[in-house]
Amino acid sequence: MLDLIIVGAGPAGLSACLYASRAGLDVLILDMGAPGGKLNVTAQIENYPGLKATPGPEIAYTMYESALSFGAKMEYGEVLDIKVVDDHKEVVTAKKTYEAKYVLIATGTKERQMHLPRENELVGKGISYCAVCDGPFFKGEEVAVIGGGNSALEEAMYLASICQTVHLIVRRDVFRADKIIQDRLSKYDNIVIHFKRKPFAIMEENNKVKGLVLTDSDTGEKEELLVKGIFPFIGLDPMSRCVEKLGLINSEGYIDADENMETKVKGIFVAGDVRNKRLRQVVTATNDGAIAGQYIASLKEQE
């Protein structure tokens, strides 16, 4: 019987692990991928207090080392379900069921898809949701980035340093990104902005991306854009399916919690981007994790 199981090894989960294990709790982190979450697919983090602009993977590794420095452990696996059994919780994965007094959900979010025919089949064949991971495969080529927010513009600028031309597809006539990021984007000569355009279909050849069919947001008129790579950055969806049966998910898929990060199910906590809140950033994720880890440690002391 563990004291705490943390589902998710992003900044929120790692922060909670650090605080809880440092207070003496027996902690296990479960995740499907590399520790650090979206830090691993972020070229630079420049708004984390106390740090100069630093590659996301570098911060991820440092956080991971710090989180496990007080005896916590991490195992890999997808959490399929979480059950409340008497005075403890069962965390069910495909291979094993774990037991713990407390559970923290820190599963984060996943990239929203375009929902176009053949999109899933062409992932890895021209479609990617991670410019940092896959950008080098398109060196010297023309690619498209979908979206008008901070992530889309930042990824477009990263790709512009590798690719011949980056086509930025924006469904509205304005960006949603912060002005400071828009100002930086304007300095790139090889980023072509297509306002009021939406992806309609994926063009392919020999089972690889050949281009995009775009629709004019006003007229509905269609046009073809020849690109070798497509990078959608059109939003995020919460990864909360593992607690679906517990009734913790709101209408948008996020999980509500009180100021101690505890959900309406006693002993189950939530932290990071999967929590229902206004600002989703690395710094707010680590804040959530610190609060949850410290509070769970205080509950343990009271037992």
Side-chain angles (χ1 to χ4, degrees):
M1 176 75 69
L2 295 156
D3 293 323
L4 171 64
I5 292 176
I6 298 171
V7 184
L14 294 175
S15 177
C17 178
L18 172 63
Y19 273 76
S21 61
R22 187 171 180 270
L25 272 63
D26 189 8
V27 182
L28 172 69
I29 305 179
L30 293 171
D31 202 318
M32 294 183 291
K38 286 189 172 51
L39 284 172
N40 290 304
V41 297
T42 305
Q44 294 282 331
I45 297 291
E46 59 180 21
N47 58 354
Y48 194 90
L51 289 183
K52 297 178 181 179
T54 306
E58 183 179 322
I59 300 174
Y61 186 73
T62 302
M63 281 190 177
Y64 171 68
E65 283 192 317
S66 177
L68 298 191
S69 63
F70 292 97
K73 294 181 173 57
M74 179 172 173
E75 294 186 16
Y76 293 91
E78 180 182 7
V79 174
L80 304 175
D81 194 14
I82 296 172
K83 301 176 181 179
V84 178
V85 181
D86 298 326
D87 64 343
H88 67 277
K89 315 295 182 287
E90 290 185 353
V91 178
V92 181
T93 69
K95 295 183 178 180
K96 187 175 178 180
T97 296
Y98 301 84
E99 294 183 339
K101 178 72 175 179
Y102 305 103
V103 172
L104 173 68
I105 309 300
T107 43
T109 55
K110 62 181 177 181
E111 290 72 19
R112 188 171 296 155
Q113 293 186 310
M114 298 180 291
H115 299 297
L116 297 180
R118 297 277 297 159
E119 180 175 358
N120 289 327
E121 291 84 351
L122 290 170
V123 171
K125 300 174 182 178
I127 293 179
S128 171
Y129 302 93
C130 176
V132 175
C133 309
D134 299 326
F137 292 117
F138 301 94
K139 185 176 182 179
E141 303 284 359
E142 295 202 24
V143 300
V145 172
I146 317 297
N150 286 350
S151 294
L153 271 63
E154 287 170 346
E155 300 304 317
M157 288 185 283
Y158 172 77
L159 288 167
S161 67
I162 300 171
C163 303
Q164 177 183 321
T165 306
V166 178
H167 297 272
L168 186 56
I169 315 301
V170 187
R171 66 181 176 87
R172 302 195 299 176
D173 58 354
V174 293
F175 291 119
R176 290 182 292 108
D178 297 337
K179 186 178 183 302
I180 188 172
I181 297 176
Q182 294 185 45
D183 291 342
R184 288 177 191 159
L185 185 85
S186 65
K187 299 176 183 177
Y188 286 82
D189 295 332
N190 62 333
I191 296 179
V192 180
I193 303 167
H194 303 259
F195 283 119
K196 302 185 107 175
R197 296 292 187 274
K198 296 182 290 188
F200 177 77
I202 301 166
M203 301 164 60
E204 63 176 295
E205 185 176 66
N206 298 325
N207 202 31
K208 291 183 178 180
V209 166
K210 178 185 177 183
L212 264 175
V213 178
L214 302 175
T215 301
D216 187 296
S217 298
D218 288 336
T219 67
E221 184 179 347
K222 294 178 176 56
E223 60 187 89
E224 293 184 354
L225 180 67
L226 297 179
V227 292
K228 293 291 183 66
I230 301 171
F231 294 82
F233 294 96
I234 53 177
L236 301 165
D237 292 316
M239 298 176 65
S240 54
R241 185 175 296 178
C242 64
V243 292
E244 201 169 21
K245 295 177 183 177
L246 295 175
L248 297 179
I249 304 171
N250 68 15
S251 59
E252 296 181 335
Y254 293 97
I255 302 171
D256 292 316
D258 63 18
E259 62 181 8
N260 296 314
M261 305 299 142
E262 190 166 22
T263 70
K264 64 182 181 181
V265 175
K266 188 175 177 60
I268 295 184
F269 296 78
V270 62
D273 287 2
V274 74
R275 183 169 79 87
N276 184 22
K277 59 180 181 177
R278 292 186 63 182
L279 182 63
R280 293 181 172 87
Q281 294 282 291
V282 177
V283 69
T284 64
T286 56
N287 170 76
D288 288 356
I291 291 172
Q294 188 66 31
Y295 182 69
I296 293 168
S298 71
L299 293 178
K300 181 67 177 177
E301 288 179 2
Q302 295 170 21
E303 291 178 0

